[in-house]
Amino acid sequence: MPGRKRGLAVDVLGLAIAVVVLAASRHDNAAGIALLDRAVAATEPGAVRP
């Protein structure tokens, strides 16, 4: 079974803002960039939250 890397961005209350799951073979930089992109998109003014 291949490994997975998980990234989680939370606010000051510990509520999830963004989650990223990547293959373990991907670099940490790729996970960080993807996570930050999702966090920015989720916290933009007027962003629609699912």
Side-chain angles (χ1 to χ4, degrees):
M1 179 173 175
R4 303 277 187 266
K5 286 187 182 180
R6 295 165 190 90
L8 181 67
V10 298
D11 65 6
V12 295
L13 297 175
L15 302 173
I17 296 173
V19 178
V20 173
V21 179
L22 298 172
S25 61
R26 300 281 308 265
H27 290 283
D28 289 338
N29 286 349
I33 291 168
L35 182 60
L36 287 175
D37 287 343
R38 288 192 185 192
V40 167
T43 57
E44 287 178 340
V48 177
R49 306 217 182 204

